[in-house]
Every structure is written in structure tokens, then in C-alpha cells.
Amino acid sequence: VQLVEFGGGLVHPGGSLRLSCAASGFTFGDYPIGWFRQAPGKEREGLSCFSRGGTPHYADSVKSRFTIAKDSARNMVYLQMNDLKPEDTAVYYCAVDPLPCGAIWLESAEYGSVGQGTQVTVSS
């Protein structure tokens, strides 16, 4: 499994970013896939995932601002982030794991496959 994230950068508070994850090495849809982030000095935080059936799930902390999307034909997963805040600053990772997508997946301490991450910095 290979996951490559891109799309991070510097954005002002209130701005938006769309992160992309290119997935390969497995049959897209066979496993839940999603996003988590890691900020310095903070615990890993699961953000959103797609179940095998394509149902999205979100952490309560971001569900009103973030939207996960996928393009199964291109093996791509996206995370649209709106109304970004300084506390959203973190490295964002794409991950694949057979855990059921939902609270279990979002609260997992580790994932089977993780990309290299992309930095998102929200600052004025």
C-alpha cells in the first residue's frame, strides 16, 4: 500500500484548503481510508474516514468544517477544509486500516498504512 498526500500549505484563519491523497497497492474500497492529523505536543487526532461501503464518518471536532470525498476511478481521497483555525495547524496524514470506519477507526492509535503527511499551517 502506498499513500501520497499533497495540498498542504500556509493559509490565513478563515481560509480553505483541499488535501489530496493518491492511493495505490490495494483495491480501493477494500479497506476504510481516511485522514488524521498530528500537531506538535498533541495526540494524534482522527478526522474522517470512508467505510468499505463508502459511508463517511467525521470526528465531532471537524464535522461542520471538513468534508471527505473520493474518486474511486482515480484512487484518490480528498479532505476539503473550510473556515480553518490556528488550532488546525498540524501535519495531515492519509491512512488505510481494516478497522471499521467510525469511532473505532477515528480513535485508533495506529494505522496499517500511513502516508508521509502534508503540513498545514493556519496563521495570519
Side-chain angles (χ1 to χ4, degrees), residues 14-66:
S16 298
L17 276 177
R18 188 179 82 152
L19 306 182
S20 301
C21 171
S24 61
F26 69 106
T27 301
F28 204 72
D30 274 2
Y31 301 102
I33 185 169
W35 295 89
F36 70 93
R37 65 187 177 189
Q38 180 85 59
K42 295 185 179 180
E43 293 186 357
R44 173 179 294 190
E45 181 182 14
L47 302 173
S48 183
C49 56
F50 272 117
S51 70
R52 289 182 176 85
T55 301
H57 295 266
Y58 296 93
D60 288 342
S61 60
V62 301
K63 64 182 178 181
S64 65
R65 300 184 295 123
F66 292 7

Side-chain angles (χ1 to χ4, degrees), residues 95-109:
V96 171
D97 196 273
L99 285 172
C101 172
I104 293 175
W105 200 98
L106 296 173
E107 295 171 5
S108 179

Side-chain angles (χ1 to χ4, degrees), residues 51-88:
S51 70
R52 289 182 176 85
T55 301
H57 295 266
Y58 296 93
D60 288 342
S61 60
V62 301
K63 64 182 178 181
S64 65
R65 300 184 295 123
F66 292 7
T67 302
I68 194 170
K70 61 184 174 74
D71 183 341
S72 298
R74 301 176 65 184
N75 285 8
M76 295 290 295
V77 178
Y78 307 97
L79 188 69
Q80 177 68 42
M81 306 186 295
N82 298 327
D83 190 23
L84 284 162
K85 307 175 188 301
E87 52 264 40
D88 294 316

